[in-house]
């Protein structure tokens, strides 16, 4: 946010403002995860961090800095930023997610190159609530470098969201 204050061009300021809003939404998903850990409402609180039965623990606490896992020998703490994106995705999926949160999680996946998972989440969110399609289309358009959402938005094709033009192209065998 401090970076934005020093920008001279309104177009760049607007772009930074949009990015800050995206990151704030992603941070809200993290806040909800920590809250779910505290309330013990995750679908599954077991984690595996190695091989064998000794490498299984129970999520016992979380803060903004770390995740705590109870193991037979005591407990371990791991910093969130040491966790791989796929591990974070696994943890996020343990919470019940609204369609809007599925879109946020899809954005997280897209940001971290978990693109197939992103498309799965976007499609599930759109199926659950048609109103989120505009958000998904706007996000994909911005990440794919489109100046605006393409005509017809993004449509389902073989488990992915593609433009109408791309779907037609693929259907013709290209």
């Amino acid at each position: 946010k401090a970076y934005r204050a020093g920008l001279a061009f309104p177009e760049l300021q607007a772009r930074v403002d949009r990015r800050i809003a995206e990151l704030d939404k992603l941070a809200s998903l993290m806040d909800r995860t920590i809250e779910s850990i505290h309330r013990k409402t995750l679908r599954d609180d077991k984690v595996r961090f190695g091989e064998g039965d000794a490498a299984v623990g129970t999520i016992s606490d979380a803060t903004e800095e770390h995740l705590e896992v109870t193991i037979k020998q005591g407990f371990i703490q791991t910093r969130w930023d040491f966790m791989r994106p796929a591990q974070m995705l696994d943890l996020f999926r343990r919470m019940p997610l609204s369609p809007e949160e599925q879109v946020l999680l899809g954005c997280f996946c897209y940001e971290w190159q978990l693109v197939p998972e992103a498309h799965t989440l976007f499609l599930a969110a759109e199926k659950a609530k048609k109103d989120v399609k505009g958000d998904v289309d706007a996000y994909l358009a911005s990440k794919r470098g489109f100046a605006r959402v393409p005509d017809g938005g993004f449509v389902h094709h073989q488990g992915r969201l593609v433009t109408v033009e791309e779907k037609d192209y693929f259907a013709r065998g290209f």
Side-chain angles (χ1 to χ4, degrees), residues 28-44:
S28 74
L29 191 59
M30 188 68 195
D31 291 342
R32 196 152 111 45
T33 302
I34 293 169
E35 180 182 322
S36 293
I37 291 168
H38 289 163
R39 291 182 180 202
K40 307 225 181 281
T41 57
L42 294 178
R43 283 200 233 343
D44 181 11

Side-chain angles (χ1 to χ4, degrees), residues 21-163:
E22 286 175 1
L23 294 174
D24 284 345
K25 288 177 185 177
L26 288 173
S28 74
L29 191 59
M30 188 68 195
D31 291 342
R32 196 152 111 45
T33 302
I34 293 169
E35 180 182 322
S36 293
I37 291 168
H38 289 163
R39 291 182 180 202
K40 307 225 181 281
T41 57
L42 294 178
R43 283 200 233 343
D44 181 11
D45 63 355
K46 301 289 184 237
V47 291
R48 179 172 295 282
F49 49 89
E51 297 297 320
D53 291 338
V56 176
T58 303
I59 297 170
S60 52
D61 196 14
T63 67
E64 289 183 5
E65 290 82 31
H66 70 266
L67 175 70
E68 184 175 292
V69 177
T70 302
I71 57 175
K72 290 179 185 177
Q73 300 84 356
F75 71 92
I76 57 171
Q77 290 181 342
T78 185
R79 289 175 42 102
W80 292 113
D81 56 348
F82 289 176
M83 293 179 70
R84 294 185 320 271
Q87 290 173 309
M88 294 299 299
L89 172 61
D90 174 61
L91 192 58
F92 290 145
R93 283 185 162 164
R94 295 177 188 209
M95 299 183 298
L97 299 170
S98 69
E100 292 82 6
E101 289 169 327
Q102 286 178 315
V103 171
L104 286 178
L105 189 50
C107 295
F108 168 85
C109 290
Y110 207 91
E111 299 279 333
W112 287 100
Q113 306 305 309
L114 301 171
V115 176
E117 294 87 345
H119 285 277
T120 298
L121 286 156
F122 290 149
L123 289 165
E126 287 183 6
K127 183 177 181 183
K129 186 176 182 184
K130 302 278 187 242
D131 292 355
V132 300
K133 182 171 176 29
D135 293 337
V136 171
D137 286 351
Y139 178 81
L140 288 174
S142 73
K143 292 303 171 192
R144 292 193 51 197
F146 291 101
R148 61 176 180 75
V149 173
D151 292 339
F154 291 87
V155 295
H156 180 247
H157 177 71
Q158 298 181 349
R160 298 185 60 214
L161 287 166
V162 298
T163 66

